[in-house]
Amino acid sequence: MSRNYVSIDVFDTCLVRRCGMPEKIWDLMCERLFEKNDFRGKLSFVNSRENAEKLASIEYRYPNINEIYDFFDVSQWGFEKEQVANLEMEIEETELFPNPYMLERISKLREKGCKIFFVSDMYLPSFFIKRILIKYGFCL
């Protein structure tokens, strides 16, 4: 018996962000971390977070969230690394929703006997991604 294998990217294929671009997550984080009119704090936070990801990408081929936050000094705003990294994952989870077309497509592929592999180069931990895929019925 031959078995077909299908690999499917997770982000922007199976899971889509309500806010659109991934960088919008950082803006949503700022709404929780800074006072409403602290535009300087928000802007410096977003720029520093973006820069941290660029620096981590130089050091590591595919940096994870902890490696990115090693380049992101959140203490300058009085925050703790773990607190902010957890907030980023929390907001990611609230912004992610399933692509109904892909749910149906994957279901049909499984009915045909295909084995589905989910792939991602996202910096979020695999346990986090798997939990979201299970939550929405992609991963069995």
Side-chain angles (χ1 to χ4, degrees), residues 52-115:
E53 192 162 334
K54 287 177 184 175
L55 291 171
S57 294
I58 293 168
E59 184 76 21
Y60 306 98
R61 184 172 178 161
Y62 295 105
N64 62 40
I65 195 165
N66 291 322
E67 292 164 341
I68 292 168
Y69 275 79
D70 285 343
F71 288 90
F72 187 24
D73 181 15
V74 297
S75 67
Q76 64 186 303
W77 300 285
F79 307 132
E80 294 178 15
K81 173 182 160 179
E82 187 175 323
Q83 168 199 23
V84 180
N86 286 337
L87 176 62
E88 184 165 341
M89 288 190 289
E90 177 187 326
I91 291 175
E92 279 280 6
E93 184 169 357
T94 62
E95 288 297 307
L96 290 169
F97 68 96
N99 177 341
Y101 171 78
M102 288 307 296
L103 270 173
E104 182 180 336
R105 188 90 175 101
I106 289 169
S107 178
K108 287 180 180 178
L109 287 168
R110 283 193 174 116
E111 287 172 10
K112 292 179 181 178
C114 291
K115 188 165 183 164

Side-chain angles (χ1 to χ4, degrees), residues 23-39:
E23 297 81 10
K24 289 289 187 183
I25 296 295
W26 309 331
D27 293 331
L28 295 170
M29 292 172 68
C30 286
E31 297 304 316
R32 300 258 297 268
L33 294 170
F34 295 93
E35 296 293 325
K36 183 179 179 180
N37 294 323
D38 187 358
F39 302 112

Side-chain angles (χ1 to χ4, degrees), residues 42-53:
K42 291 176 183 180
L43 183 60
S44 66
F45 180 91
V46 169
N47 288 336
S48 294
R49 172 60 181 80
E50 181 178 18
N51 191 50
E53 192 162 334

